[in-house]
Amino acid sequence: MEALTWITLIAATAIAALWLPRWRLARRLAQPMPDDQLAILRRNLPLYARMPRALQEQVQRLVTQFLLQKKFVGCEGLDVTDEMRVTIAGQASLLLLNRPSKVYPALHTILVYPSAFLVPRRDIDGAGVVTQTRQGLLGESWSDGRVVLSWDHVLRGALAPASGQNVVLHEFAHQLDSESGANNGAPFLGDRARYRRWSQVLARDFARLRHEAMVQQHSVLDHYGANSPAEFFAVATETFFGKPWQMAERHGELFAQFQDYYRVDPRAWLPAPVVELPPDYSVAYGQWQ
């Protein structure tokens, strides 16, 4: 009897461990988002204010789940505030609209620096000589369940959605990319035919961007995307949400692939540009580790 009692107790504990987080999440999602968090979304995410009510409600639910399940850690003495948490979660939620999602299930921690941060790097030249360097970055997405962000650039990208430069969208696109089992520019698509078409379109436009970067020709896609297929996917994600009109015009098939994947059309939230000006700066993002 004593053995059965212990088995029953262990089983009950295991069930509670699985059930309580779900019950807590369900209870939280059933409650309206606090007014102060709604105010942050309206103030710091111009795209949110331009969405229809149904999408706004989706963003609210996704942000609520994100804040409940993810841990935020301030770096270099930064005190992480609700404004930072909601602004980051709100932008990350844009990538999950209109589709079932567990809200970045492999991600558990977001590290936030006040501004650009330095990370160590090992460079190996052609002769095999190793040089230790430090590289300044705005964000990184790690394979161990962490994302690192510069708060200055998080806010800058959020407040200027039409710039096409958004460190949160970039790094969380890497998180989606890795859900297929490899960080190779092909997120989970669920269908062999979709993978085949995705590969054809992205390989062609990736080659085009590499050529444009090599000859220093202006492109609607940031040249940083020419570094690898993974970076191309992340940069194209930024462009899809920040410059959808330009992307649809110059990379129509690529835009269609991303519209099918993300299940939204950001052109509904951003007015068509009258005149497109060349970007006044280039943003370099971190490498996948």
Side-chain angles (χ1 to χ4, degrees):
M1 290 295 295
E2 185 175 347
L4 288 175
T5 301
W6 276 108
I7 292 173
T8 302
L9 179 60
I10 292 172
T13 302
I15 292 172
L18 292 173
W19 180 78
L20 283 175
R22 296 177 184 175
W23 173 81
R24 184 184 179 197
L25 175 61
R27 185 181 66 171
R28 188 72 61 87
L29 292 175
Q31 300 171 353
M33 175 174 274
D35 289 342
D36 56 340
Q37 293 184 358
L38 282 172
I40 294 169
L41 286 177
R42 297 190 185 104
R43 181 173 66 250
N44 289 357
L45 273 74
L47 289 182
Y48 171 83
R50 299 167 185 164
M51 291 177 177
R53 180 62 183 172
L55 285 184
Q56 289 181 342
E57 291 175 351
Q58 284 191 50
V59 170
Q60 292 173 29
R61 290 193 295 271
L62 289 165
V63 168
T64 297
Q65 184 170 351
F66 193 104
L67 297 179
L68 188 63
Q69 296 177 337
K70 315 304 178 187
K71 178 182 179 182
F72 288 80
V73 177
C75 303
E76 293 185 349
L78 180 67
D79 182 18
V80 178
T81 64
D82 279 347
E83 180 180 21
M84 297 176 186
R85 295 185 184 92
V86 173
T87 302
I88 292 170
Q91 292 178 80
S93 296
L94 297 179
L95 307 186
L96 305 177
L97 294 170
N98 286 338
R99 54 199 180 102
S101 172
K102 295 183 179 179
V103 185
Y104 305 105
L107 175 72
H108 53 76
T109 304
I110 299 91
L111 305 172
V112 186
Y113 283 80
S115 58
F117 51 93
L118 295 174
V119 296
R121 288 286 187 264
R122 294 175 72 250
D123 293 331
I124 304 176
D125 63 19
V129 177
V130 178
T131 304
Q132 300 291 341
T133 62
R134 293 176 67 82
Q135 182 181 4
L137 299 174
L138 309 183
E140 280 197 311
S141 183
W142 295 349
S143 59
D144 64 355
R146 292 183 291 174
V147 163
V148 192
L149 299 168
S150 158
W151 167 244
D152 282 354
H153 295 86
V154 166
L155 188 58
R156 183 182 303 175
L159 294 176
S163 69
Q165 305 279 352
N166 189 298
V167 66
V168 175
L169 297 184
H170 186 104
E171 302 306 339
F172 280 86
H174 281 313
Q175 288 289 312
L176 293 178
D177 190 5
S178 67
E179 288 181 3
S180 64
N183 191 52
N184 57 7
F188 179 75
L189 300 174
D191 181 88
R192 183 173 296 180
R194 289 185 67 191
Y195 275 114
R196 182 165 54 250
R197 184 59 182 155
W198 179 275
S199 177
Q200 291 171 348
V201 173
L202 268 73
R204 182 197 61 205
D205 284 35
F206 175 58
R208 173 180 167 184
L209 183 62
R210 293 188 68 183
H211 173 74
E212 291 170 344
M214 182 176 63
V215 300
Q216 291 300 300
Q217 178 182 343
H218 172 61
S219 172
V220 67
L221 298 166
D222 193 294
H223 287 174
Y224 186 74
N227 283 319
S228 69
E231 295 301 344
F232 181 80
F233 171 64
V235 164
T237 293
E238 293 178 89
T239 308
F240 176 76
F241 282 95
K243 295 185 176 182
W245 293 94
Q246 300 93 319
M247 185 178 181
E249 178 182 356
R250 302 185 187 183
H251 299 267
E253 290 184 288
L254 182 67
F255 181 85
Q257 289 296 312
F258 275 70
Q259 186 178 8
D260 182 60
Y261 174 67
Y262 284 118
R263 303 188 185 184
V264 292
D265 187 346
R267 290 175 297 185
W269 318 329
L270 288 169
V274 178
V275 178
E276 182 188 356
L277 299 176
D280 56 359
Y281 64 91
S282 179
V283 179
Y285 294 94
Q287 301 290 330
W288 182 272
Q289 292 185 347

